[in-house]
Structure formats: structure tokens, C-alpha cells
Amino acid sequence: MTMAKRKLDIFATEDAHGPHTYQKFPIAVVKGRGALVWDDNGKEYVDCMGGYGVAIIGHSNPVVVAAVKRQAEKLITCHGSLYNDARAEFLDTLTRYSPKGLDAAFLSSSGAEAVEVALKLARKVTGKKGLVAMQGAYHGKTAGALSATWAKKYREPFEPLLEGVKHVALGDLEAVEREIDPDVGAVIVEPIQGEGGIMLPPEGFFKGVREICDRKGILFIADEIQTGLGRTGKLWAMENWGVVPDIMTLAKGLAGGVPIGATVTRAEILNSLKKGEQTSTFGGNPLACAAGTATLNYLVKNDMPGKAKAKGELFLDELRAMGATHKLTREARGMGLMLAFEVRVDIPEILNDAMRRGVIFTYSGRTIIRMLPPLVITGRQISRSVKVLGDAVAAEEKRREAGGVG
Ligand SMILES: Cc1ncc(COP(=O)(O)O)c(C=O)c1O
């Protein structure tokens, strides 16, 4: 007996059986290549959301596809209690490219998990439970990471979370110093706040935090989950400020789109965790590791950080030129290919309109349009994206004039 093939309604099925926790856009993406994706009707889009930064070397980059295919045919899973060649190669590659002295890593499956491990390490090494984080910070939504995240709307429904987390204003070195009481074991920062609105720190801030952490004998954690892997023009964003953290968290594009997380640190810090104190069934999965090695080598061999810097400058120049022609513009800012276009109004209509015109952007707060395109985006795709955004902003201005607002 043959079974009749059922045509699945993608939208109705996800809505009926999936969570309603994502800010969903009304398209179903079914294919991607480089900085382009296609929906189920075959319509093409430039993907400036880039999977929230995951598609760093482009969708289905051929080197990742080849590595995954090769590894899938050989061995898909191998628990951390056994040794594995793909895992060893990835650890070797990751620690060779990591900032000086960071020679060990705990591998996991997501950004939040990478942050959880960083927080556990800080407690274990220093024996102190407290943490200083930044206002506007985003570190993920598992309980520990959520405690360090700033937005009340994410935290409050789930309190009590971790005790002893204090948030200070980004850039306020005096506040950092003041809040580090004898119970605080670490300071956690994002080099550039992503969810918080593409916020850059004032000059000298991270050097100052590094100096305070050294003087107080506590750990400096850099959450590079969104900024790392070349996006800001350096392989690690902290290099822009000449600062080496004690712990660096990574995830997103580290395995070219395959789920992964990594907490990179010094061996002496990692080894404060004893047998059984931190494990993860999928941590160091061979498929993710093979994809990760291919991704890191691609990033370095093709100087993707250098390309991100040049393309980011082009993108920002074009955004500023376009922005100057619209009343609704507040500011265009960012570094490398981590960019924001801030306007004076709520942005859902602008985002939906841009999507209808063939470019996918995302939010970074109510009034901030965020761009995290693949680093392989072309100059032409950048110009197309800016043109579409300008048209969507102009349409919003027209709507507001017609409606008598603005
Ligand atoms: C800086 C930062 N930290 C942590 C996370 C959490 O990562 P995940 O969603 O993989 O748990 C994110 C996700 O956007 C992030 O941008």
C-alpha cells in the first residue's frame, strides 16, 4: 500500500504545533546560498538578518557542505567520554586561532550554553557567586545566562534567577569598580551589544575593565557570540580594543550554521571543573566539529575579517547617504558587518515592506533595524539592500503623512 503524500501548510503547522515565542515574519525560507535565500514560492531575498548572524560565511557554504557530507558518511555522533578525530582537529584549530593564551575550550550546542559554562567557570575558579553585567546586555535565555541579560521583560516572569548579578551602565568604569564587592567573581561584556541596539563602548572602557579585573583578581568574560568570527573587521571583536579576555563565549556561525557553542579559556581555568561537573551529550559532536574546522579555516584563509571591514564601511557609507534623505532617520552606526539603522518610529511596517521588496532585515529594539549579513555579501547586494531600505522608509513617511502622523 502506498501512502498519499500530504501537502503540508508550513505556516498553519508551525503556528499550531510550535511555540509562539518568536517574532515571526510571514515567509517560509526553504533554500539559501551565500547572502541570498529563497521562499517556498521561489522568491529571492538578500538576507541581511543572516540567521541572526549565524550564516557568517554564507548559507550552505560549499566548504561546510562538503565537510558535513564527508563527516556524516563517516561518523555523526561520538560522546565526549570517547576520543574523536574531528573533535581533536576542531579543538586544535579553534585554540590556534583564539586570542593569545586561550588554549582550551568546552564545546556545547548553543550560545546560552556557552555562557552558562562561562558563569560556572567563574564561580569555580574564584569561589565567588556575584557577577557584574552591563545594562542593555543580552547573553541568552537559559537561567544563568538570563540572569546576566538586561531586559526586564525577559527576566521578570522567571525570577528568582541567579543571585548577585548587578547591571551597570555600559561605559561607566566607576560603576564597574564600585559594584565589584568581595562576592563578585567576574565581569561579563559583549564587545558590541547586539540585541541592545548595536551599542559600542566608549574608547578605553574595555581596557579599563581589564585593568580592574586584574587588580581585583577576578575574570573578564567577553561574550563574542554575535561579534566574533570576523564580523567586526577582526577575527575577535575584542582585538579592536587590544584586550584579551579570560573567557570568550562563541556560538552562532562557528560551525557554518550547524548548532554549536564554545567557551574558550585557559586550560588552568577550564580544568577547575572536575569530572562530571560539566558535560553535554552533544558537546564536541563530530558533525559540528567538522563544520567548525571548515568554517574557521575559510574565515582565516579568505581574510573574511578584512573583507567584513571593507564591506562594512561601504554599507555604512551607503546607509548614511540614504539616511540623510529621510526625515525619519535618526542614525546609522556599527562596525564591520554589524550595523544598525535607527529611525524615529516603530519599525515593524518598514521591516515587512522591505521583505516584500526582497530584503530581510531584523530588529534590535523597537526603532532600530539591525543588519548581520553573511560576510560574503557582495557590493551589489549591499547597494540593493540599502535601496530597498530607503524605499521602505520613504513608504513609511508617506503612510504617516497620509495618516496625519509624524
Ligand atoms: C551576545 C549573545 N550572547 C548569547 C546569545 C544566546 O545565544 P543562543 O540564542 O544560541 O542561546 C546571543 C544570541 O543572540 C547573543 O547575541
Side-chain angles (χ1 to χ4, degrees):
M1 198 176 77
T2 53
M3 271 220 277
K5 192 149 192 293
R6 195 161 59 99
K7 173 110 176 70
L8 198 67
D9 180 330
I10 300 171
F11 299 94
T13 309
E14 279 206 34
D15 286 344
H17 303 296
H20 291 189
T21 57
Y22 294 90
Q23 187 94 35
K24 290 265 206 204
F25 291 100
I27 62 165
V29 171
V30 297
K31 192 177 125 181
R33 189 39 93 92
L36 297 175
V37 293
W38 288 267
D39 71 13
D40 56 332
N41 296 314
K43 180 173 165 162
E44 179 187 287
Y45 303 81
V46 180
D47 186 12
C48 287
M49 177 194 280
Y52 270 76
V54 171
I56 197 135
I57 60 167
H59 289 280
S60 295
N61 186 303
V63 301
V64 175
V65 173
V68 166
K69 273 190 183 159
R70 252 192 329 268
Q71 188 60 43
E73 279 173 358
K74 204 171 138 203
L75 182 71
I76 293 179
T77 194
C78 177
H79 191 261
S81 54
L82 302 170
Y83 288 82
N84 173 257
D85 56 347
R87 187 186 306 134
E89 193 180 359
F90 178 61
L91 282 170
D92 177 60
T93 310
L94 177 62
T95 53
R96 256 187 304 115
Y97 293 147
S98 287
K100 199 161 174 288
L102 305 193
D103 58 353
F106 187 92
L107 302 178
S108 55
S109 307
S110 72
E113 198 180 355
V115 171
E116 295 292 334
V117 175
L119 300 185
K120 283 177 81 168
L121 282 169
R123 283 191 172 197
K124 201 70 205 305
V125 166
T126 65
K128 300 172 179 183
K129 292 193 170 62
L131 178 75
V132 169
M134 299 299 126
Q135 293 172 7
Y138 186 83
H139 298 292
K141 287 182 180 144
T142 53
L146 185 57
S147 312
T149 288
W150 166 247
K152 279 200 174 63
K153 65 176 179 191
Y154 298 149
R155 275 190 289 126
E156 274 182 354
F158 307 101
E159 287 176 343
L161 294 166
L162 290 187
E163 286 169 27
V165 180
K166 297 183 256 192
H167 289 91
V168 302
L170 180 67
D172 189 346
L173 274 178
E174 271 173 34
V176 173
E177 178 105 43
R178 190 176 58 240
E179 295 297 347
I180 300 177
D181 61 30
D183 294 329
V184 168
V187 178
I188 185 165
V189 298
E190 292 157 89
I192 298 173
Q193 290 186 346
E195 302 296 312
I198 313 294
M199 305 306 280
L200 284 91
E203 221 21 77
F205 180 62
F206 293 137
K207 275 231 156 87
V209 173
R210 177 73 272 181
E211 186 274 316
I212 295 170
C213 289
D214 287 343
R215 185 157 36 81
K216 305 232 179 203
I218 67 170
L219 299 186
F220 184 119
I221 304 170
D223 181 346
E224 292 253 16
I225 287 167
Q226 197 162 139
T227 54
L229 304 168
R231 180 163 298 284
T232 70
K234 300 275 186 195
L235 192 55
W236 316 116
M238 272 298 164
E239 291 177 67
N240 290 301
W241 294 281
V243 169
V244 176
D246 299 298
I247 301 177
M248 172 173 81
T249 53
L250 298 175
K252 295 227 189 254
L254 179 57
V258 178
I260 193 165
T263 311
V264 187
T265 186
R266 297 192 292 278
E268 88 224 31
I269 294 177
L270 188 61
N271 293 332
S272 67
L273 291 171
K274 300 298 171 219
K275 273 191 192 14
E277 286 182 343
Q278 181 61 28
T279 58
S280 178
T281 299
F282 288 126
N285 168 272
L287 211 55
C289 286
T293 302
T295 301
L296 285 171
N297 285 331
Y298 183 94
L299 280 166
V300 173
K301 289 189 177 137
N302 294 289
D303 183 27
M304 295 317 287
K307 292 192 171 117
K309 185 172 188 312
K311 290 176 191 177
E313 281 163 9
L314 174 76
F315 209 146
L316 194 54
D317 283 350
E318 291 197 16
L319 281 174
R320 286 186 172 143
M322 178 276 285
T325 66
H326 294 290
K327 286 198 301 257
L328 285 185
T329 307
R330 193 167 272 156
E331 186 189 37
R333 61 173 174 273
M335 189 182 255
L337 285 170
M338 183 167 184
L339 297 165
F341 188 80
E342 186 168 0
V343 291
R344 300 179 196 283
V345 293
D346 287 0
I347 56 174
E349 261 317 299
I350 298 177
L351 293 183
N352 284 322
D353 192 5
M355 191 165 287
R356 284 191 292 272
R357 295 169 195 266
V359 182
I360 307 174
F361 296 103
T362 191
Y363 294 90
S364 186
R366 273 181 34 243
T367 59
I368 303 168
I369 297 150
R370 179 170 26 165
M371 285 140 255
L372 297 169
L375 309 190
V376 296
I377 192 169
T378 63
R380 202 177 279 186
Q381 289 162 346
I382 289 173
S383 299
R384 183 169 147 202
S385 303
V386 175
K387 163 88 174 60
V388 159
L389 184 56
D391 290 348
V393 172
E396 175 73 18
E397 282 175 342
K398 266 216 183 101
R399 269 193 302 276
R400 298 180 78 79
E401 275 163 26
V405 276

mmCIF file of all heavy atoms in Angstrom, residues 40 47 85 151 202 255 261 263 271 277 313:
data_model
loop_
_atom_site.group_PDB
_atom_site.id
_atom_site.type_symbol
_atom_site.label_atom_id
_atom_site.label_comp_id
_atom_site.label_asym_id
_atom_site.label_seq_id
_atom_site.Cartn_x
_atom_site.Cartn_y
_atom_site.Cartn_z
ATOM 1 N N ASP A 40 9.256 29.593 -0.227
ATOM 2 C CA ASP A 40 8.635 28.408 -0.817
ATOM 3 C C ASP A 40 7.955 28.716 -2.157
ATOM 4 O O ASP A 40 7.543 27.794 -2.859
ATOM 5 C CB ASP A 40 7.661 27.758 0.173
ATOM 6 C CG ASP A 40 6.602 28.725 0.655
ATOM 7 O OD1 ASP A 40 6.865 29.950 0.684
ATOM 8 O OD2 ASP A 40 5.502 28.271 1.003
ATOM 9 N N ASP A 47 19.634 38.392 2.395
ATOM 10 C CA ASP A 47 19.422 38.064 3.805
ATOM 11 C C ASP A 47 20.331 38.885 4.716
ATOM 12 O O ASP A 47 21.412 38.442 5.097
ATOM 13 C CB ASP A 47 19.665 36.560 4.019
ATOM 14 C CG ASP A 47 19.326 36.144 5.435
ATOM 15 O OD1 ASP A 47 18.698 36.956 6.162
ATOM 16 O OD2 ASP A 47 19.689 35.017 5.815
ATOM 17 N N ASP A 85 38.522 12.054 16.214
ATOM 18 C CA ASP A 85 39.457 12.811 15.361
ATOM 19 C C ASP A 85 38.908 14.185 14.948
ATOM 20 O O ASP A 85 39.629 15.187 14.982
ATOM 21 C CB ASP A 85 39.859 11.986 14.123
ATOM 22 C CG ASP A 85 38.661 11.515 13.302
ATOM 23 O OD1 ASP A 85 37.516 11.603 13.791
ATOM 24 O OD2 ASP A 85 38.872 11.051 12.149
ATOM 25 N N ALA A 151 17.166 42.967 29.759
ATOM 26 C CA ALA A 151 15.748 43.342 29.568
ATOM 27 C C ALA A 151 14.841 42.671 30.599
ATOM 28 O O ALA A 151 14.787 41.447 30.690
ATOM 29 C CB ALA A 151 15.309 42.990 28.152
ATOM 30 N N PRO A 202 32.384 53.245 24.945
ATOM 31 C CA PRO A 202 33.272 54.396 24.784
ATOM 32 C C PRO A 202 34.734 53.949 24.774
ATOM 33 O O PRO A 202 35.068 52.898 25.328
ATOM 34 C CB PRO A 202 32.979 55.251 26.011
ATOM 35 C CG PRO A 202 32.170 54.427 26.931
ATOM 36 C CD PRO A 202 31.656 53.237 26.203
ATOM 37 N N ALA A 255 30.100 27.013 13.424
ATOM 38 C CA ALA A 255 30.127 25.780 12.624
ATOM 39 C C ALA A 255 29.344 25.978 11.319
ATOM 40 O O ALA A 255 28.699 25.050 10.824
ATOM 41 C CB ALA A 255 29.584 24.605 13.430
ATOM 42 N N GLY A 261 28.272 25.571 20.398
ATOM 43 C CA GLY A 261 28.652 26.619 21.335
ATOM 44 C C GLY A 261 30.062 26.299 21.800
ATOM 45 O O GLY A 261 30.489 25.134 21.767
ATOM 46 N N THR A 263 33.070 27.621 24.865
ATOM 47 C CA THR A 263 33.559 28.503 25.923
ATOM 48 C C THR A 263 35.074 28.363 25.906
ATOM 49 O O THR A 263 35.604 27.323 26.303
ATOM 50 C CB THR A 263 32.964 28.084 27.280
ATOM 51 O OG1 THR A 263 31.545 27.939 27.121
ATOM 52 C CG2 THR A 263 33.259 29.116 28.360
ATOM 53 N N ASN A 271 40.230 23.605 33.663
ATOM 54 C CA ASN A 271 40.459 22.424 34.498
ATOM 55 C C ASN A 271 40.069 22.619 35.961
ATOM 56 O O ASN A 271 40.221 21.703 36.770
ATOM 57 C CB ASN A 271 41.907 21.970 34.366
ATOM 58 C CG ASN A 271 42.155 21.455 32.960
ATOM 59 O OD1 ASN A 271 41.228 20.970 32.310
ATOM 60 N ND2 ASN A 271 43.377 21.577 32.468
ATOM 61 N N GLU A 277 31.411 17.626 36.513
ATOM 62 C CA GLU A 277 30.856 18.934 36.889
ATOM 63 C C GLU A 277 30.286 19.707 35.702
ATOM 64 O O GLU A 277 29.496 20.619 35.887
ATOM 65 C CB GLU A 277 31.914 19.780 37.619
ATOM 66 C CG GLU A 277 32.151 19.276 39.030
ATOM 67 C CD GLU A 277 33.152 20.095 39.811
ATOM 68 O OE1 GLU A 277 33.919 20.872 39.214
ATOM 69 O OE2 GLU A 277 33.175 19.922 41.046
ATOM 70 N N GLU A 313 32.287 49.237 5.768
ATOM 71 C CA GLU A 313 32.457 50.688 5.536
ATOM 72 C C GLU A 313 31.578 51.142 4.370
ATOM 73 O O GLU A 313 30.913 52.179 4.439
ATOM 74 C CB GLU A 313 33.933 51.024 5.290
ATOM 75 C CG GLU A 313 34.705 51.082 6.604
ATOM 76 C CD GLU A 313 36.218 51.012 6.449
ATOM 77 O OE1 GLU A 313 36.721 51.088 5.303
ATOM 78 O OE2 GLU A 313 36.902 50.874 7.490
#
